Amino acid sequence: MTGVALKGLLARRVRAVLTALAIVLGVAMVSGSLVLTDTISKAFDTIFTSSYSHTDAVVSGKKLVDYSNGGNATVSKELLERIKRMRDVEAASGALLDLNGDSTHATLLDRDGKAIQSNGNPTFGFGIDTSQPRFNPLKLQDGHWAKGAHQVVIDAETAKKHHFAIGDMVGVAAHGPKERFRIVGTATYGNVNSLGGATIAVFSIPTAQRLLGLRGYSAISVAAKPGVSSEKLLSELKQEVPATAQVRTAKEQANDDKQGVASFITFIRAFLLGFGGIALFVGAFVIFNTLSITVAQRTRELATLRTLGASRRQVLRSVVFESFAIGLGASVIGLFAGFGLARGLGSLFGALGLSLPEASSVYATRTFVISLLLGVLVTVLAGFVPALRATRVPPIAAVREGAVIQRKKRLGPLAGVVLFGIASALIAYATLGGHLGSGKSLLALAGGTLLGLLGVAGFAPVLVTALAAVVGIPARRFGGAAGRLATDNATRNSARTASTAAALMIGLALVSFVAVLGKGVRGSIDRAVDKQVTADWVVTSQNGWSAFPAGAGRAARSATGVTLASDIRSDRGRIGKADVNVNGVDPATIARVYHFDWKQGSNATLAGLDGHGAIVKQGFAKKHHLAVGHGFTLRSPAGKPLRLTVAGIFQPPQVMEVLGGVVISRAAFDRTFVRPSNSLTLIDGSPTQAGLDKALAAFPDAKAQTHAEYVKAQSSFINTMLNLLYVLLALSVIVSLFGMVNTLVLSVFERTRELGMLRAVGMTRRQVRRMVRHESVITALIGAALGLPLGIMLAAAVTHAVGKYGVTFSLPVASLVIFTVAAMIAGVLAAIAPARRASRLNVLEALQYE
């Protein structure tokens, strides 16, 4: 029977290939996702481990808060000198090198004076002690290291991309106005091929300290003398360092540096694998439909095998083996196709401004195991039900012309209703319980969505006739006899049509869900920002969300037409064991350009923001049990304490908050935080764009926008995310496209004699092609009619759950129309090859076809 199965596959090569393509694409997505994320992980591992490859211990400032603009506490030059004099220390070197914070932020400028940055990717400015090369993680590619006050080494990738050569002058903007430096060398970070859009500028340590506004070092690397253990060295160092510093082994420091990145890579991997799973899920529908049709068409063949002595078990084993063979072959091809797709996914992230570090590709054993196992398992499971049907073929069917498999009473619609009911309950639990975002609710939402799709697919055959009658109106009205026959063909085997449409339904349901939810979120962000910021103009960083030098705010005041400019400082602080966003504002001007929604207090309360007054967000006050008049202590990233008293309580919109949990006076902020910088400068008046650009010319990392431009820019990242999701979901639509091609090709085989009779009674080749095209478009529109409402309902449920954040339900009518048109185009494309084959049938041979 194994030989019979293999010969059957070889005899039906076209059908086998078309069936396999669905699995190839799904497995390629899984394989590519694993290769890409493993490669990114390797790149980050290389970056962090190379930083301490010849280091036994690292002394650094204690990390009190995450994502600080000013960075952690530094370690002093005096401490470095004491460490060098320790008896068990062979060498020690200080450096300004922070891969996880903004304390070493320095932006390179291109030849036109514009900031070189890619959608917020890091722009590093390092200070390296090149007299101790053992501690230097960078590798010099050309030239020499920076020595003088106006020399710089830049990363080789930036030099190549922006056509910089040794000897050229380049602008650098860091904590103050831009400066000019001469390029004396190019370097790479360890063995990493690309830093994914990040740039590096390497200075001498005194130059970096001046440029970055830092005192001391971000870390001191220490090497022990031969024979001295790491444990002994650490013990001695801990007795030497102050309370604001910490001592770690090189491995511990590298692992700590990688923690944030590891969670990010895990998210990216799960994100991409989710879309690979969707493609495989759609592929399962394609395989199920294809094998169901082929089993039905092989009734006499299977009956003959039974007549010759094959048992039901042998027939079952034969058909399941066919599924296994197709799945294995497709999975192997998909596995290796995924290696190429990994590069494509990397390019996709780059095109969307989300470039990530790159290293040599990683092909882990688990990539092979998971990809092959998933592909084969999905194929075999999808083919099991058709295989069971094959066992029901009675031997007598071998002598009956036109015999078909007698199916048992269909339970699919009832099962579909039950599944849809369970799905509705799970989605209701996830979205109505007020806890959307927890692990259980997200799992319930994902499970409910999956069961909902299966449920709709289950009872879809009952809806096919009604849906075909509606979506087939244009075909019947404008397609003539071919259009009417196409509608009849679509409803003749409702289960087959429903299964084919269900594959497309899944992709369209998810796409419409993303579009509807995306429009609601974008609208909520626009309304929230517009409500908070009332200024005529807004100065932000180039990427719109990171901090920029405080000097840029002072420069903006000098522009002609500016009547008021109010800076908003920003950084992270710590209260107790919790991190909090802290803002420093000018109490005299902030209320004129920012709207406070007061819960306790008024604009007059701002006058109380003296050296120890603070206004706090309502949610923050509730969490920390604070009321007006209560005191609390805020610590800066460097550990400096500031005693504060609550003067008022306000509540910004819960989405896109412009001000953080604690707001203090700008004077108090500047005294507490080491490197004060702005998140925004809000401007009133009637300046011109040219005037503001001129005033900000010395600060290329800052830009001025009108109020409307600023509001629109705050939600622009939603468009980037939507484009990414659309591209990834397009894979499932492509898989469903192959499913429609499969169904139509097999339908043409099945109806060979029927097509011959139609041609014999006068139907032209053109009418045959038109009939197949109309049938394909009707099937695609049935998929759209099932998928779009399902996606809209799911988006409505999620929107209700996040309504407390100001997200409202809004239909993107234009997008939904585009999706419907895209479904029609998919139907036309899927029909090209089947329509041509149908029109080219030899009439006499078709009439003799069995």
Side-chain angles (χ1 to χ4, degrees), residues 375-408:
V376 172
L377 192 62
V378 168
T379 310
V380 171
L381 289 176
F384 191 74
V385 172
L388 282 177
R389 290 177 184 167
T391 64
R392 301 190 188 118
V393 178
I396 192 64
V399 296
R400 293 178 184 170
E401 184 177 348
V404 296
I405 300 175
Q406 297 298 319
R407 296 186 181 180
K408 293 182 178 180

Tab-separated table of all heavy atoms in Angstrom, residues 375-408:
chain	number	residue	atom	x	y	z
A	375	GLY	N	5.111	21.063	10.385
A	375	GLY	CA	4.619	20.873	9.023
A	375	GLY	C	3.993	19.513	8.817
A	375	GLY	O	2.890	19.389	8.258
A	376	VAL	N	4.682	18.474	9.275
A	376	VAL	CA	4.185	17.107	9.098
A	376	VAL	C	2.924	16.893	9.925
A	376	VAL	O	1.937	16.302	9.457
A	376	VAL	CB	5.270	16.084	9.483
A	376	VAL	CG1	4.696	14.667	9.500
A	376	VAL	CG2	6.443	16.166	8.514
A	377	LEU	N	2.930	17.368	11.170
A	377	LEU	CA	1.788	17.161	12.063
A	377	LEU	C	0.530	17.838	11.524
A	377	LEU	O	-0.550	17.231	11.495
A	377	LEU	CB	2.124	17.712	13.448
A	377	LEU	CG	1.166	17.343	14.584
A	377	LEU	CD1	1.140	15.836	14.787
A	377	LEU	CD2	1.573	18.051	15.874
A	378	VAL	N	0.664	19.077	11.072
A	378	VAL	CA	-0.495	19.800	10.533
A	378	VAL	C	-1.040	19.085	9.305
A	378	VAL	O	-2.259	18.928	9.140
A	378	VAL	CB	-0.109	21.251	10.201
A	378	VAL	CG1	-1.198	21.928	9.365
A	378	VAL	CG2	0.115	22.049	11.476
A	379	THR	N	-0.160	18.621	8.443
A	379	THR	CA	-0.601	17.947	7.213
A	379	THR	C	-1.319	16.638	7.516
A	379	THR	O	-2.382	16.347	6.948
A	379	THR	CB	0.593	17.680	6.285
A	379	THR	OG1	1.350	18.875	6.129
A	379	THR	CG2	0.125	17.227	4.908
A	380	VAL	N	-0.746	15.836	8.407
A	380	VAL	CA	-1.353	14.543	8.735
A	380	VAL	C	-2.699	14.737	9.431
A	380	VAL	O	-3.679	14.042	9.110
A	380	VAL	CB	-0.388	13.723	9.616
A	380	VAL	CG1	-1.084	12.471	10.143
A	380	VAL	CG2	0.846	13.323	8.809
A	381	LEU	N	-2.769	15.681	10.364
A	381	LEU	CA	-4.042	15.924	11.050
A	381	LEU	C	-5.108	16.428	10.084
A	381	LEU	O	-6.270	16.015	10.155
A	381	LEU	CB	-3.841	16.936	12.178
A	381	LEU	CG	-3.055	16.439	13.405
A	381	LEU	CD1	-2.855	17.566	14.406
A	381	LEU	CD2	-3.762	15.263	14.067
A	382	ALA	N	-4.708	17.325	9.165
A	382	ALA	CA	-5.670	17.845	8.193
A	382	ALA	C	-6.144	16.765	7.233
A	382	ALA	O	-7.267	16.814	6.725
A	382	ALA	CB	-5.054	19.000	7.414
A	383	GLY	N	-5.297	15.771	6.990
A	383	GLY	CA	-5.663	14.714	6.044
A	383	GLY	C	-6.324	13.514	6.678
A	383	GLY	O	-6.728	12.576	5.965
A	384	PHE	N	-6.465	13.527	8.014
A	384	PHE	CA	-6.986	12.334	8.678
A	384	PHE	C	-8.468	12.108	8.399
A	384	PHE	O	-8.905	10.983	8.156
A	384	PHE	CB	-6.733	12.426	10.186
A	384	PHE	CG	-7.005	11.142	10.919
A	384	PHE	CD1	-6.130	10.077	10.805
A	384	PHE	CD2	-8.139	10.994	11.702
A	384	PHE	CE1	-6.376	8.883	11.469
A	384	PHE	CE2	-8.388	9.808	12.365
A	384	PHE	CZ	-7.509	8.749	12.244
A	385	VAL	N	-9.278	13.192	8.441
A	385	VAL	CA	-10.712	13.043	8.187
A	385	VAL	C	-10.973	12.557	6.758
A	385	VAL	O	-11.763	11.612	6.550
A	385	VAL	CB	-11.460	14.367	8.475
A	385	VAL	CG1	-12.913	14.266	8.033
A	385	VAL	CG2	-11.387	14.688	9.964
A	386	PRO	N	-10.333	13.143	5.729
A	386	PRO	CA	-10.502	12.589	4.380
A	386	PRO	C	-10.061	11.122	4.289
A	386	PRO	O	-10.668	10.334	3.553
A	386	PRO	CB	-9.606	13.482	3.520
A	386	PRO	CG	-9.558	14.772	4.248
A	386	PRO	CD	-9.563	14.404	5.694
A	387	ALA	N	-9.015	10.763	5.055
A	387	ALA	CA	-8.560	9.377	5.040
A	387	ALA	C	-9.629	8.446	5.621
A	387	ALA	O	-9.854	7.326	5.122
A	387	ALA	CB	-7.260	9.249	5.824
A	388	LEU	N	-10.290	8.911	6.693
A	388	LEU	CA	-11.380	8.111	7.265
A	388	LEU	C	-12.511	7.924	6.260
A	388	LEU	O	-13.117	6.853	6.164
A	388	LEU	CB	-11.913	8.775	8.531
A	388	LEU	CG	-11.085	8.614	9.818
A	388	LEU	CD1	-11.724	9.406	10.946
A	388	LEU	CD2	-10.982	7.136	10.197
A	389	ARG	N	-12.802	8.982	5.513
A	389	ARG	CA	-13.850	8.876	4.495
A	389	ARG	C	-13.476	7.842	3.436
A	389	ARG	O	-14.338	7.137	2.908
A	389	ARG	CB	-14.074	10.232	3.832
A	389	ARG	CG	-14.735	11.261	4.744
A	389	ARG	CD	-14.857	12.599	4.035
A	389	ARG	NE	-15.408	13.617	4.923
A	389	ARG	CZ	-15.391	14.911	4.653
A	389	ARG	NH1	-14.858	15.353	3.519
A	389	ARG	NH2	-15.912	15.766	5.505
A	390	ALA	N	-12.186	7.767	3.135
A	390	ALA	CA	-11.745	6.809	2.110
A	390	ALA	C	-12.020	5.374	2.531
A	390	ALA	O	-12.282	4.495	1.690
A	390	ALA	CB	-10.252	7.001	1.838
A	391	THR	N	-12.004	5.115	3.844
A	391	THR	CA	-12.236	3.736	4.314
A	391	THR	C	-13.688	3.320	4.150
A	391	THR	O	-14.015	2.136	4.257
A	391	THR	CB	-11.838	3.599	5.789
A	391	THR	OG1	-12.692	4.427	6.581
A	391	THR	CG2	-10.394	4.007	6.011
A	392	ARG	N	-14.575	4.303	3.924
A	392	ARG	CA	-16.000	3.988	3.802
A	392	ARG	C	-16.401	3.607	2.379
A	392	ARG	O	-17.583	3.377	2.116
A	392	ARG	CB	-16.832	5.184	4.268
A	392	ARG	CG	-16.559	5.597	5.715
A	392	ARG	CD	-17.574	6.612	6.190
A	392	ARG	NE	-17.209	7.149	7.509
A	392	ARG	CZ	-16.934	8.422	7.745
A	392	ARG	NH1	-17.025	9.294	6.765
A	392	ARG	NH2	-16.611	8.826	8.947
A	393	VAL	N	-15.474	3.598	1.456
A	393	VAL	CA	-15.794	3.228	0.066
A	393	VAL	C	-16.072	1.724	-0.003
A	393	VAL	O	-15.193	0.914	0.307
A	393	VAL	CB	-14.632	3.591	-0.878
A	393	VAL	CG1	-14.946	3.152	-2.301
A	393	VAL	CG2	-14.351	5.086	-0.821
A	394	PRO	N	-17.284	1.306	-0.405
A	394	PRO	CA	-17.581	-0.131	-0.505
A	394	PRO	C	-16.940	-0.708	-1.765
A	394	PRO	O	-16.835	-0.030	-2.793
A	394	PRO	CB	-19.113	-0.165	-0.602
A	394	PRO	CG	-19.477	1.159	-1.203
A	394	PRO	CD	-18.472	2.132	-0.719
A	395	PRO	N	-16.494	-1.984	-1.724
A	395	PRO	CA	-15.862	-2.591	-2.912
A	395	PRO	C	-16.760	-2.548	-4.142
A	395	PRO	O	-16.262	-2.432	-5.272
A	395	PRO	CB	-15.581	-4.018	-2.455
A	395	PRO	CG	-15.485	-3.928	-0.964
A	395	PRO	CD	-16.462	-2.890	-0.563
A	396	ILE	N	-18.073	-2.632	-3.997
A	396	ILE	CA	-18.985	-2.675	-5.144
A	396	ILE	C	-18.934	-1.393	-5.956
A	396	ILE	O	-19.302	-1.356	-7.138
A	396	ILE	CB	-20.430	-2.936	-4.653
A	396	ILE	CG1	-21.336	-3.285	-5.834
A	396	ILE	CG2	-20.963	-1.715	-3.918
A	396	ILE	CD1	-20.973	-4.552	-6.521
A	397	ALA	N	-18.421	-0.260	-5.297
A	397	ALA	CA	-18.351	1.006	-6.013
A	397	ALA	C	-17.396	0.936	-7.185
A	397	ALA	O	-17.435	1.784	-8.078
A	397	ALA	CB	-17.923	2.120	-5.062
A	398	ALA	N	-16.538	-0.093	-7.237
A	398	ALA	CA	-15.581	-0.211	-8.337
A	398	ALA	C	-16.265	-0.440	-9.667
A	398	ALA	O	-15.720	-0.116	-10.720
A	398	ALA	CB	-14.596	-1.353	-8.053
A	399	VAL	N	-17.475	-1.002	-9.650
A	399	VAL	CA	-18.150	-1.305	-10.917
A	399	VAL	C	-19.294	-0.337	-11.190
A	399	VAL	O	-20.045	-0.517	-12.145
A	399	VAL	CB	-18.696	-2.753	-10.899
A	399	VAL	CG1	-17.533	-3.732	-10.812
A	399	VAL	CG2	-19.666	-2.967	-9.736
A	400	ARG	N	-19.476	0.647	-10.329
A	400	ARG	CA	-20.534	1.629	-10.520
A	400	ARG	C	-19.975	2.899	-11.147
A	400	ARG	O	-19.078	3.513	-10.589
A	400	ARG	CB	-21.188	2.002	-9.183
A	400	ARG	CG	-21.955	0.867	-8.536
A	400	ARG	CD	-22.501	1.360	-7.202
A	400	ARG	NE	-23.183	0.291	-6.482
A	400	ARG	CZ	-23.574	0.399	-5.220
A	400	ARG	NH1	-23.355	1.518	-4.564
A	400	ARG	NH2	-24.196	-0.604	-4.626
A	401	GLU	N	-20.504	3.287	-12.251
A	401	GLU	CA	-20.070	4.518	-12.887
A	401	GLU	C	-20.630	5.704	-12.106
A	401	GLU	O	-21.806	5.751	-11.747
A	401	GLU	CB	-20.558	4.574	-14.333
A	401	GLU	CG	-20.050	5.792	-15.089
A	401	GLU	CD	-20.486	5.780	-16.544
A	401	GLU	OE1	-20.969	4.740	-17.004
A	401	GLU	OE2	-20.320	6.816	-17.207
A	402	GLY	N	-19.747	6.636	-11.824
A	402	GLY	CA	-20.194	7.853	-11.122
A	402	GLY	C	-20.437	7.630	-9.652
A	402	GLY	O	-21.116	8.429	-9.003
A	403	ALA	N	-19.921	6.543	-9.087
A	403	ALA	CA	-20.116	6.295	-7.657
A	403	ALA	C	-19.390	7.348	-6.834
A	403	ALA	O	-18.319	7.813	-7.181
A	403	ALA	CB	-19.581	4.915	-7.292
A	404	VAL	N	-19.982	7.704	-5.726
A	404	VAL	CA	-19.380	8.674	-4.809
A	404	VAL	C	-19.423	8.116	-3.398
A	404	VAL	O	-20.187	7.206	-3.096
A	404	VAL	CB	-20.117	10.048	-4.849
A	404	VAL	CG1	-19.992	10.684	-6.217
A	404	VAL	CG2	-21.582	9.871	-4.471
A	405	ILE	N	-18.589	8.688	-2.558
A	405	ILE	CA	-18.562	8.254	-1.158
A	405	ILE	C	-19.807	8.755	-0.454
A	405	ILE	O	-20.153	9.924	-0.520
A	405	ILE	CB	-17.305	8.803	-0.455
A	405	ILE	CG1	-16.035	8.285	-1.143
A	405	ILE	CG2	-17.308	8.448	1.017
A	405	ILE	CD1	-14.760	8.871	-0.573
A	406	GLN	N	-20.504	7.835	0.198
A	406	GLN	CA	-21.699	8.223	0.948
A	406	GLN	C	-21.277	8.744	2.321
A	406	GLN	O	-20.690	8.028	3.132
A	406	GLN	CB	-22.622	7.009	1.114
A	406	GLN	CG	-23.149	6.460	-0.200
A	406	GLN	CD	-24.009	7.489	-0.932
A	406	GLN	OE1	-24.803	8.195	-0.310
A	406	GLN	NE2	-23.852	7.568	-2.248
A	407	ARG	N	-21.542	10.031	2.517
A	407	ARG	CA	-21.153	10.636	3.785
A	407	ARG	C	-22.250	10.429	4.818
A	407	ARG	O	-23.429	10.409	4.498
A	407	ARG	CB	-20.897	12.135	3.615
A	407	ARG	CG	-19.717	12.445	2.692
A	407	ARG	CD	-19.441	13.950	2.683
A	407	ARG	NE	-18.342	14.275	1.798
A	407	ARG	CZ	-17.900	15.504	1.609
A	407	ARG	NH1	-18.487	16.510	2.235
A	407	ARG	NH2	-16.895	15.724	0.789
A	408	LYS	N	-21.810	10.342	6.062
A	408	LYS	CA	-22.774	10.258	7.150
A	408	LYS	C	-23.421	11.637	7.350
A	408	LYS	O	-22.976	12.634	6.802
A	408	LYS	CB	-22.064	9.831	8.441
A	408	LYS	CG	-21.537	8.401	8.387
A	408	LYS	CD	-20.906	8.022	9.701
A	408	LYS	CE	-20.414	6.584	9.666
A	408	LYS	NZ	-19.792	6.183	10.939
